[in-house]
Amino acid sequence: MQSKGVMRLAAKRVLITGAASGIGLACARVMAEHGAHVLGCDIDDAALSVVAGEAGMAASMRLDVAEEPDWAAGAAWARREFGGLDAIIHSAGIGVGGDLTTLSLESWRRQQAVNLDGSFLAVKHMLPLLREGGGGSITLIASVTGLRGSAVFAPYAASKAGVVALMRSAARASAAAGDGVRVNAIAPGVIATPIFGRMEGVNAAATDPVATAARLVPLGRAGQPEDIAHAAAYLASDEASYVTGIVLPVDGGLLMS
Ligand code: NAI
């Protein structure tokens, strides 16, 4: 149970992508502790089924964020099982790096398909569900690299810059429509999760979060997935009802370095 006795998300129905691992999994755990009904999604349904119960997820399903039919099925599932949704945390993502002069177009496109197409499809298919309920919150997990660029992770940084522009555009559109939907992003810095072991196209030095953080982060250490989850819980809560269109860095000071 969460320690401070504050149920920030009591009875809110929250769909979380990338919920089998790292930041998405921590979001599921923390938000369930705050009273949310968590619907966990991931492409890795085997891993998801192992952690879903322990993390307090109310339900889980396989969803590949790059595949539009999966999103249509996810929306239908949320409508059928939960009568709608109040919030989305879109955390699923992959990290592709490499030298821009030798990077294959195929690698570039795979990166954009998961991180940027996936975010577009999240907004496209989840926004109507939130509107049906009279409003809600969308939080996209971007990255500090989307704001600073990255010599090592250019495809990844470009995808996350796209996520930020998508978020701001959706936030403006919802505000203009008066639909009660807030749209925000979190920009994590260096967070110790399994993604570092899954990076594509980079050398081993770039796959160690502890060494990377020691080198780059003013606070001198990597963050934990829970650091992002607490920010996500805030943005999904009614306490953030006047917050839309922001990129919230949770980065140990990386953006100022
Ligand atoms: P992770 O690798 O621990 O978790 C990512 C999850 O997304 C995995 O469970 C994976 O199976 C799932 N996934 C991958 N492709 C998918 C797809 N096509 N459809 C559905 N699920 C898919 O990584 P982590 O660190 O938790 O990353 C979460 C988000 O945070 C990502 O968007 C990542 O880019 C972002 N981020 C992470 C940072 C870090 O330092 N860990 C820094 C900045 C941003």
Side-chain angles (χ1 to χ4, degrees), residues 139-164:
T139 302
L140 304 177
I141 306 299
S143 167
V144 161
T145 61
L147 305 170
R148 297 175 93 220
S150 168
V152 180
F153 286 106
Y156 178 77
S159 75
K160 295 298 190 175
V163 169
V164 169

Side-chain angles (χ1 to χ4, degrees), residues 94-118:
I94 61 171
V96 177
D99 184 321
L100 283 168
T101 64
T102 55
L103 186 77
S104 72
L105 183 57
E106 184 199 357
S107 295
W108 170 269
R109 284 184 173 153
R110 190 171 59 259
Q111 176 67 94
Q112 310 313 322
V114 176
N115 289 12
L116 187 51
D117 296 5

Side-chain angles (χ1 to χ4, degrees), residues 17-26 41-45 47-48 62-67 70-71 90-95 111 113-115 118 140-145 156 159-160 186-199 209 223 225 228 250:
T17 68
S21 178
I23 290 168
L25 176 56
C41 303
D42 204 287
I43 195 172
D44 187 347
D45 50 348
L48 186 60
R62 184 186 182 282
L63 190 158
D64 180 344
V65 298
E67 295 295 331
D70 285 18
W71 279 106
H90 179 48
S91 184
I94 61 171
Q111 176 67 94
V114 176
N115 289 12
L140 304 177
I141 306 299
S143 167
V144 161
T145 61
Y156 178 77
S159 75
K160 295 298 190 175
I186 297 172
V190 180
I191 311 298
T193 75
I195 202 172
F196 281 88
R198 299 170 173 156
M199 304 286 197
I228 309 304
V250 182

